Amino acid sequence: ASVQAAYKEWRDAVDSGDAKKVIGLYDDDAILLATLENKPLLTDDERLAYFTKLAKKKVKVIPQEEHIRFEGRDIAIND
């Protein structure tokens, strides 16, 4: 899948309010630098708690701009 398609899948998962659907998109060893947290989220449990909290607030993702860059062959960053 393209980076844009993966980002759309993530936005749709967050907008659905299904935290398990969101964390299913992360590798087991993913590091989430969450916007509303003061520390990196390193485990599925931490990511699940974070996205569950967002779901309760009915947060919707509204993209403003995309800044996609590639770091090697297997890593794409959209910040």
Side-chain angles (χ1 to χ4, degrees), residues 26-45:
Y26 288 84
D27 283 340
D28 292 339
D29 60 350
I31 299 171
L32 175 61
L33 303 176
T35 303
L36 304 175
E37 289 292 329
N38 294 325
K39 66 180 184 75
L41 305 179
L42 306 175
T43 68
D44 277 345
D45 288 341

Side-chain angles (χ1 to χ4, degrees), residues 1 19 21-22 25 28-29 33 35-36 42 53 57 64 67 72 74 78:
K21 187 176 187 178
V22 179
L25 299 173
D28 292 339
D29 60 350
L33 303 176
T35 303
L36 304 175
L42 306 175
K53 186 173 25 174
K57 294 180 179 185
Q64 301 296 316
H67 302 276
D74 299 323
N78 187 5

Side-chain angles (χ1 to χ4, degrees), residues 15-26:
D15 289 349
S16 77
D18 184 345
K20 288 185 180 182
K21 187 176 187 178
V22 179
I23 68 163
L25 299 173
Y26 288 84

Side-chain angles (χ1 to χ4, degrees), residues 2-4 9 11 13 15 18 22-24 28 34 37 40 45-46 48 54 60-61 65 78-79:
S2 72
V3 175
Q4 290 89 350
E9 182 180 11
R11 288 190 327 254
D15 289 349
D18 184 345
V22 179
I23 68 163
D28 292 339
E37 289 292 329
D45 288 341
E46 290 175 331
L48 180 62
L54 286 185
K60 297 293 181 193
V61 179
E65 295 181 32
N78 187 5
D79 56 5

